[in-house]
Amino acid sequence: MHILVTGGAGYIGSHIVKLLLENSNHKITILDNLVTGFQATIDTLTVIAKENNVTLNFMEEDLSDFSKIENIMHENQFDAIIHFAASLVVPESVENPLKYYLNNTANTANLIKCATENGVKKFIFSSTAATYGEPDATVVNLETGLKESDPTDPINPYGMSKLMSERVLKDTAFAYDDFKYAALRYFNVAGSDPDGRIGQSTKNATLLIKVAAETAIGKREKMYIFGDDYPTHDGTGIRDYIHVVDLAQAHIEALEYLEDHDSDVFNVGYSRGFSVKEVIDTMKKVSGIDFTVEIKERRAGDPAILISDNTKIKNTMHWQPRYDDLEVICKTTLEWEKKI
Ligand SMILES: NC(=O)c1ccc[n+]([C@@H]2O[C@H](COP(=O)([O-])OP(=O)(O)OC[C@H]3O[C@@H](n4cnc5c(N)ncnc54)[C@H](O)[C@@H]3O)[C@@H](O)[C@H]2O)c1
């Protein structure tokens, strides 16, 4: 296959590209405007492609340039698209919603349009647990995790921009027999390539495990816990952290799944959670550094518990997580942080 990977210079996209380069003969084209992605990541992936004798092209383009995207899609016979490119900072989406509806929803709709016009049969979409919003504990079972069939009610434009894209995909797949999609709702993505060749270089990261790694190695003086009075065993919020390589593998399984199954939406997580305190303690353990942590007020819109129910993906795809271990997640994050 010839696979278009949008956002392949970014954190998650680059891990999928690496897996594909190492484990398949698919020709890969990355399209990325490098707004949050890195040329250095493309350089590393180019080396990996050469080592594995696989073709990797890079196009530095912006998805909002519709006529350019139309030409690219017309000139290349892509068989599948894995679409990561997006804006993903939740507070920014509240301040600047149109950036999110344009970059995430409008650009995705145009990409889907180009896909249908040019015979692309498979579309894998990066969705998010943010589509569920703040789950109502009287309606869903927070302890056993959110199911794909649970209500979706995003509480910020980021989550809504992704849910709207899911809807565009659903309606398009209904209208076009030849077009199939899998929307993967990621929970909290963390960790880095265990080979240490790529990782998360995101600037001003707000994700807990990366922040803890930055604090452990002294890039930050201290870090904060936002709220220690949640109704959880230690009072801090519980999240489902998934290692980025297991998430990457889910995309590869999804491509295979679409060969002989219909379009669908899947949670990708481990179906179990760790509290903020547990994550920080694990980072302290693997780094050997007792860094400073301060307690602050709760942040608006942070649910107490957010865990996936991953029964659907496990029962329908051949997805077998290999890095479901908080120490491994923290260690690989830390190693990458030291490297950069
Ligand atoms: N990181 C997480 O925890 C998480 C959780 C759930 C969902 N997601 C989704 O996963 C996807 C990838 O996230 P990430 O963490 O790798 O982020 P990232 O910022 O590292 O990667 C996004 C990539 O898309 C590129 N990009 C953005 N807008 C573009 C445009 N208009 N044209 C071309 N390229 C563009 C960026 O340069 C970057 O390389 C996103 O769609 C995000 O919504 C991420």
Side-chain angles (χ1 to χ4, degrees):
M1 285 198 286
H2 186 185
I3 304 176
L4 172 66
V5 181
T6 73
Y11 169 44
I12 302 173
S14 60
H15 284 82
I16 278 83
V17 172
K18 179 172 184 272
L19 264 197
L20 284 168
L21 294 173
E22 290 174 340
N23 298 296
S24 76
N25 290 319
H26 301 314
K27 181 177 167 187
I28 312 291
T29 294
I30 293 177
L31 188 150
D32 199 301
N33 63 1
L34 299 182
V35 68
T36 53
F38 296 88
Q39 180 61 47
T41 304
I42 297 294
D43 297 343
T44 305
L45 292 173
T46 304
V47 172
I48 296 171
K50 285 205 178 107
E51 287 167 5
N52 289 279
N53 251 331
V54 183
T55 308
L56 174 70
N57 304 320
F58 172 53
M59 298 180 181
E60 188 174 342
E61 302 290 352
D62 194 309
L63 284 172
S64 66
D65 189 342
F66 284 10
S67 59
K68 199 58 158 296
I69 299 301
E70 275 170 24
N71 286 339
I72 290 171
M73 295 288 288
H74 191 65
E75 283 162 11
N76 293 271
Q77 294 298 309
F78 296 118
D79 300 288
I81 297 177
I82 312 183
H83 178 40
F84 297 99
S87 305
L88 53 138
V89 182
V90 169
E92 184 194 49
S93 81
V94 176
E95 282 159 27
N96 191 357
L98 291 174
K99 173 175 173 182
Y100 282 71
Y101 291 120
L102 290 171
N103 198 30
N104 296 0
T105 316
N107 290 348
T108 299
N110 182 59
L111 190 64
I112 296 167
K113 170 184 164 280
C114 294
T116 59
E117 287 169 354
N118 292 285
V120 179
K121 294 193 168 49
K122 297 177 184 178
F123 196 104
I124 312 293
F125 177 61
S126 296
S127 193
T128 165
T131 53
Y132 294 109
E134 209 167 342
D136 179 350
T138 61
V139 177
V140 302
N141 187 337
L142 293 177
E143 303 289 336
T144 57
L146 295 163
K147 291 189 185 59
E148 292 83 352
S149 53
D150 283 335
T152 46
D153 188 11
I155 55 167
N156 51 61
Y158 168 64
M160 185 54 92
S161 72
K162 291 281 181 174
L163 187 61
M164 287 165 77
S165 302
E166 282 192 14
R167 184 60 198 235
V168 178
L169 283 166
K170 187 177 176 187
D171 292 345
T172 306
F174 182 77
Y176 294 80
D177 284 344
D178 273 357
F179 178 83
K180 291 190 196 176
Y181 76 91
L184 305 183
R185 291 182 181 156
Y186 315 161
F187 278 66
N188 289 56
V189 190
S192 283
D193 168 35
D195 298 340
R197 298 182 78 175
I198 50 171
Q200 185 173 26
S201 305
T202 319
K203 296 199 173 89
N204 308 318
T206 51
L207 300 168
L208 175 67
I209 295 186
K210 185 167 169 70
V211 169
E214 288 175 355
T215 316
I217 62 167
K219 286 188 189 173
R220 293 173 191 248
E221 219 174 279
K222 58 185 167 191
M223 65 174 293
Y224 302 103
I225 292 177
F226 296 98
D228 65 348
D229 55 353
Y230 285 103
T232 60
H233 63 276
D234 64 13
T236 65
I238 292 179
R239 295 292 181 270
D240 186 344
Y241 297 95
I242 175 166
H243 193 284
V244 66
V245 175
D246 280 337
L247 178 66
Q249 190 60 41
H251 292 73
I252 292 173
E253 299 300 337
L255 276 176
E256 277 200 33
Y257 171 88
L258 289 180
E259 280 294 317
D260 47 13
H261 292 85
D262 287 336
S263 301
D264 215 335
V265 178
F266 298 92
N267 286 335
V268 198
Y270 291 143
S271 265
R272 57 101 194 88
F274 289 101
S275 73
V276 175
K277 274 189 184 154
E278 286 167 339
V279 167
I280 292 173
D281 287 347
T282 307
M283 187 59 80
K284 286 185 174 181
K285 182 178 166 200
V286 302
S287 64
I289 314 280
D290 186 15
F291 50 85
T292 307
V293 180
E294 278 180 18
I295 310 288
K296 277 200 170 185
E297 292 287 293
R298 289 183 186 193
R299 288 180 303 201
D302 271 349
I305 305 177
L306 211 54
I307 298 174
S308 66
D309 179 334
N310 65 9
T311 311
K312 187 169 169 184
I313 190 167
K314 278 201 152 163
N315 285 351
T316 51
M317 294 187 199
H318 304 286
W319 182 63
Q320 282 302 335
R322 293 166 55 207
Y323 300 98
D324 181 1
D325 180 330
L326 187 60
E327 284 199 16
V328 172
I329 292 176
C330 287
K331 228 182 249 170
T332 54
T333 308
L334 187 70
E335 289 312 313
W336 180 255
E337 209 53 56
K338 286 180 184 164
K339 195 167 170 177
I340 58 167

